[in-house]
Amino acid sequence: MCGITGFVNLQNGFDRAEASQTLDRMCRVITHRGPDDQGVLVTDQVALGMRRLSIIDLAGGHQPIFNEDGTVAVIFNGEIYNYREIKRELEARGHRFRTNSDTETIVHAYEEYGFDCVDHFRGMFAFAIWDERARRLFIARDRVGKKPLYYTLTPQRSLIFGSELKALLEHPEVEREIDYAALDAYLTFGYVPDPLCIFRRVRKLPPGHRLIFANGEIKIEQYWDFDYCPIEGRSEEEWIEELRACLEDAVRVRLIADVPLGAFLSGGVDSSTVVGLMARAGVRPVKTFSIGFNEDSYNELKYARLAAKRFETDHHEFIVTPSICQIVDDLAWHFDEPFADSSAIPTYMVSKMARDYVTVVLSGDGGDELFAGYTRYAVDSRRAVFERLPRPLRRGVMQPVSRFLPHGFWGRNYLYNIALDSLDRYIDNVSVFTALAKEKLYSDDLKARLRQAGADATALFRERAAKMCADDSINRLLYLDSKTYLPGDILVKVDRMSMAVSLEARAPLLDHRLIELVGRIPPELKLKDGKLKYIFKRAVEGIVPPEILHRPKQGFGVPIDEWINAQLREQIRDTLMSSRARQRGYISLSYVQTLLEEHENGRRDHSTRLWALFMLEKWARLFVDGEGDRARASFERFAPVASSG
């Protein structure tokens, strides 16, 4: 696990000494992703750098890694779990390996298969290959989006890329002009979905895509996608047997490591399944890590303890209290872009605790998007009945009435939601600030900027939805979440918070072979008679304790609603109502005042909205006002001196 960064200018080139200094800054600012080593390659036109967290081939995995004659170089962030099989195939074809690392497999696979080398890799990855003979940079990101990749093509024709946005910002050609379409998307969904970035000229390479940079031009291609093509005629038991075997294999291949390994254990079905399969695979005892709260409604420790006892793990726990919110500036620094998922707090703390014992953890991420585990899928299924009402009634009567009703009127939001078509209804369901709320929240200036740019946060969702091949409602929603919420929120949260403490997190439930299998399972076996994750739970019967298997769904959240009204009350009010927030001109502070008063008085739970606004202001102070420069200096005190490569 590493962090990669670099830049290429094939037309104008650059001063080698200046390029080396710039690259060193770009590497050092992501030292947390790889504290063990730094490697660089600098020529007159190419600068590649990486920070390494040593996991496999501790002695021989120094990057960049080259092919036999030194004309192809790779820097790599991630893990290739089937690298040994690929290595044997390539050696049989005449390739000569110098190391036992999975990174070198990428170089030779590229030589053998070209851009299609990505089709052969099973794992999580973001890598960059410089091909000296072809004068070409090749970048690829894994199928699901576990590993991040930012890039920009500057007016000076430099392609600049990196695992984190902060690495790009160290390059003098990268500008910090806010992309208001991305800001709109953030306030709508609580995260900035790919390919958008909060800064206008920067983009994120989407999952399952590759980028080729040659002759000063960028070409982006998609090489993989979620495919929902259910197969009929197989029995439920046949699906269960194949699914269980695939789950066991997905966990087994992720146990490869030359360093200590453990697992996150929340007490839910997904993480309990992963830990149970680790124990079955012979990991004894599994080191497990759990987070709890003093607030009973959010505390899952009793279920985590039950699973830990069942699987005889070496179990560790940490209680999160409101005082932990003092780390909010650190969180904003690590996310680079505004990010509103408050479960980042326990994710950071459980990662920090785990890092004291292990270097690699397995997690249960992805199970809800893969097997239909969110309660909103059942809610959407129930509300679909209103689509039978004539559209003129819904659009011409119900929607205008809902808009006319005053803010806070009982049933206003529900009436608006059920009057929408299916896709709009789901977008409304997953929004932090709905279309109704944004009419009040946005300042006139922001509304004008968005109209001028033709920006619409829902356009990205509509674009994703247009690519769905599924003809049933459940698989359509699973596809949409797997292309938006999963890579934009869940995987960003886990990557940034684990990497903040130099911990590698692996997600076996997002193995692409498992995903392809689940895409063939009929949707009625995923959500059956209102039962979420039906086929998944059937497959893990006998592995996961029944008390966990049949418990109600509980999200991995924090009691932020209570904290905002108590320990965080003054901090959030002072931040959101400050003159600095007012001067930004994004939002109506009178509406924010209304949200604060309603939440403080207990009339409405606005915790998600207030936290989103709070994190936006925290981000702006770091990355717009320049406070991040001081934060960077603090983090860099611990960065080792760069090595040359």
Side-chain angles (χ1 to χ4, degrees):
M1 185 63 63
C2 308
I4 63 172
T5 190
F7 49 97
V8 177
N9 192 314
L10 302 178
Q11 294 182 343
N12 305 315
F14 37 72
D15 179 89
R16 208 163 181 170
E18 291 182 3
S20 295
Q21 294 176 357
T22 298
L23 184 63
D24 184 52
R25 292 196 306 271
M26 295 170 71
C27 287
R28 287 170 66 85
V29 80
I30 55 171
T31 294
H32 51 276
R33 297 191 72 92
D36 297 331
D37 187 21
Q38 178 168 307
V40 300
L41 167 68
V42 180
T43 70
D44 293 339
Q45 294 182 310
V46 179
L48 304 180
M50 61 80 61
R51 295 291 319 189
R52 186 184 182 206
L53 175 64
S54 302
I55 303 292
I56 294 175
D57 190 10
L58 306 187
H62 178 79
Q63 299 181 34
I65 286 183
F66 297 83
N67 65 338
E68 292 91 338
D69 62 7
T71 58
V72 178
V74 65
I75 50 175
F76 167 50
N77 170 26
E79 301 289 350
I80 305 298
Y81 302 120
N82 62 335
Y83 77 97
R84 292 188 178 116
E85 296 94 317
I86 297 173
K87 181 179 180 180
R88 286 194 293 267
E89 294 173 4
L90 293 171
E91 286 179 327
R93 293 172 178 260
H95 294 268
R96 301 190 307 278
F97 284 73
R98 297 188 180 94
T99 75
N100 293 315
S101 74
D102 53 340
T103 305
E104 188 174 2
T105 304
I106 299 173
V107 172
H108 297 292
Y110 168 77
E111 285 188 295
E112 187 68 32
Y113 307 116
F115 303 145
D116 292 335
C117 63
V118 290
D119 298 329
H120 297 259
F121 301 145
R122 183 182 187 183
M124 54 182 181
F125 53 83
F127 62 78
I129 291 176
W130 169 246
D131 187 332
E132 177 67 30
R133 292 168 296 190
R135 309 296 296 164
R136 181 173 63 208
L137 185 72
F138 172 47
I139 296 175
R141 190 178 178 200
D142 67 66
R143 297 168 179 84
V144 184
K146 300 172 191 174
K147 295 293 100 186
L149 200 291
Y150 289 84
Y151 72 94
T152 183
L153 183 60
T154 71
Q156 295 86 355
R157 310 311 293 173
S158 293
L159 176 71
I160 307 169
F161 67 92
S163 297
E164 297 186 10
L165 177 58
K166 63 174 64 69
L168 278 68
L169 296 178
E170 292 298 314
H171 196 288
E173 294 179 19
V174 177
E175 302 173 359
R176 301 194 185 199
E177 180 184 351
I178 288 179
D179 186 329
Y180 289 97
L183 178 61
D184 179 37
Y186 167 74
L187 289 168
T188 304
F189 304 115
Y191 59 91
V192 180
D194 64 77
L196 293 177
C197 173
I198 194 62
F199 293 127
R200 190 171 69 86
R201 293 186 181 275
V202 181
R203 286 292 178 263
K204 296 190 279 277
L205 184 65
H209 283 67
R210 56 196 179 201
L211 180 155
I212 299 99
F213 181 61
N215 301 317
E217 301 294 333
I218 288 177
K219 181 181 180 182
I220 295 177
E221 302 172 340
Q222 184 172 12
Y223 68 87
W224 187 89
D225 200 4
F226 291 80
D227 186 13
Y228 293 94
C229 297
I231 297 175
E232 305 295 338
R234 298 185 63 183
S235 71
E236 187 173 306
E237 296 304 318
E238 287 175 318
W239 283 120
I240 289 171
E241 182 179 354
E242 186 173 1
L243 178 56
R244 185 182 293 121
C246 198
L247 286 166
E248 291 174 345
D249 183 59
V251 169
R252 178 186 56 79
V253 300
R254 283 163 177 78
L255 300 179
I256 300 171
D258 295 331
V259 293
L261 181 146
F264 291 151
L265 181 59
S266 69
V269 176
D270 299 337
S271 64
S272 298
T273 295
V274 170
V275 172
L277 292 176
M278 290 174 71
R280 280 195 169 197
V283 181
R284 295 283 183 172
V286 180
K287 293 182 183 296
T288 53
F289 308 94
S290 301
I291 286 292
F293 301 91
N294 290 324
E295 293 81 0
D296 288 341
S297 59
Y298 288 84
N299 197 356
E300 295 186 276
L301 281 182
K302 65 178 181 179
Y303 295 106
R305 291 166 184 164
L306 192 156
K309 183 178 180 180
R310 168 70 174 269
F311 305 126
E312 300 179 336
T313 74
D314 178 9
H315 190 56
H316 305 268
E317 297 177 351
F318 182 85
I319 300 296
V320 178
T321 63
S323 63
I324 208 67
C325 289
Q326 64 186 345
I327 67 169
V328 69
D329 287 334
D330 290 350
L331 300 189
W333 164 252
H334 279 291
F335 280 113
D336 290 345
E337 299 182 86
F339 189 77
D341 189 340
S342 60
S343 66
I345 296 171
T347 303
Y348 175 75
M349 295 312 301
V350 74
S351 297
K352 188 175 177 65
M353 174 176 58
R355 190 61 177 92
D356 289 337
Y357 300 89
V358 299
T359 310
V360 177
V361 291
L362 272 62
S363 77
D365 295 302
D368 289 325
E369 292 82 3
L370 195 57
F371 296 102
Y374 293 124
T375 55
R376 61 176 178 257
Y377 300 139
V379 170
D380 186 80
S381 180
R382 292 193 299 268
R383 293 187 181 183
V385 68
F386 292 102
E387 292 181 45
R388 300 174 187 173
L389 295 175
R391 179 176 284 188
L393 173 62
R394 289 187 286 115
R395 288 192 171 184
V397 178
M398 296 168 67
Q399 283 190 37
V401 168
S402 65
R403 292 180 183 275
F404 176 78
L405 293 173
H407 169 80
F409 191 88
W410 185 86
R412 176 179 185 250
N413 294 332
Y414 178 79
L415 179 62
Y416 178 81
N417 182 263
I418 63 174
L420 299 171
D421 294 334
S422 58
L423 178 59
D424 292 323
R425 183 178 65 248
Y426 191 69
I427 292 174
D428 188 69
N429 283 338
V430 300
S431 294
V432 175
F433 287 98
T434 65
L436 280 180
K438 289 192 294 186
E439 291 176 1
K440 300 284 189 181
L441 175 69
Y442 287 0
S443 67
D444 291 340
D445 180 61
L446 180 55
K447 290 177 182 176
R449 289 178 182 273
L450 293 174
R451 283 195 301 269
Q452 183 179 7
D456 176 10
T458 67
L460 283 170
F461 275 62
R462 299 181 195 285
E463 179 183 323
R464 302 291 193 277
K467 295 181 179 179
M468 291 187 285
C469 64
D471 58 3
D472 62 273
S473 60
I474 291 301
N475 278 336
R476 284 200 298 269
L477 296 184
L478 294 179
Y479 178 87
L480 189 58
D481 272 352
S482 295
K483 301 294 286 187
T484 55
Y485 181 65
L486 178 65
D489 185 307
I490 299 298
L491 296 181
V492 168
K493 174 184 66 180
V494 174
D495 174 79
R496 302 305 192 279
M497 294 298 89
S498 60
M499 285 281 86
V501 296
S502 307
L503 178 74
E504 175 177 299
R506 300 175 178 178
L509 298 186
L510 291 174
D511 184 277
H512 81 273
R513 296 181 183 177
L514 175 61
I515 292 171
E516 290 170 352
L517 169 64
V518 176
R520 299 194 295 272
I521 297 176
E524 59 269 20
L525 293 179
K526 299 171 186 175
L527 178 61
K528 184 175 182 179
D529 299 328
K531 297 178 181 177
L532 300 170
K533 301 169 89 164
Y534 173 80
I535 191 70
F536 179 70
K537 291 181 178 180
R538 284 291 318 278
V540 299
E541 286 179 349
I543 300 173
V544 176
E547 300 93 328
I548 294 174
L549 198 62
H550 303 299
R551 58 175 289 216
K553 171 70 175 175
Q554 182 173 349
F556 185 56
V558 297
I560 203 71
D561 54 338
E562 299 178 28
W563 294 357
I564 287 176
N565 269 355
Q567 295 88 345
L568 293 176
R569 181 169 180 161
E570 294 305 317
Q571 182 185 1
I572 286 185
R573 176 174 279 277
D574 290 347
T575 300
L576 296 185
M577 301 305 294
S578 66
S579 59
R580 294 170 73 177
R582 185 184 305 275
Q583 290 168 2
R584 299 196 198 285
Y586 305 150
I587 58 179
S588 165
L589 290 196
S590 62
Y591 183 66
V592 176
Q593 177 71 29
T594 298
L595 297 180
L596 286 166
E597 291 176 354
E598 289 184 349
H599 189 83
E600 292 167 358
N601 295 333
R603 289 184 57 202
R604 293 283 189 279
D605 179 4
H606 291 306
S607 55
T608 301
R609 293 176 174 180
L610 292 172
W611 187 258
L613 295 172
F614 181 58
M615 292 305 295
L616 174 62
E617 178 60 23
K618 285 292 187 180
W619 169 83
R621 293 184 181 189
L622 285 173
F623 289 93
V624 177
D625 297 350
E627 292 182 7
D629 295 336
R630 292 192 291 276
R632 178 191 63 194
S634 175
F635 282 110
E636 284 187 344
R637 287 204 307 271
F638 306 101
V641 176
S643 64
S644 61

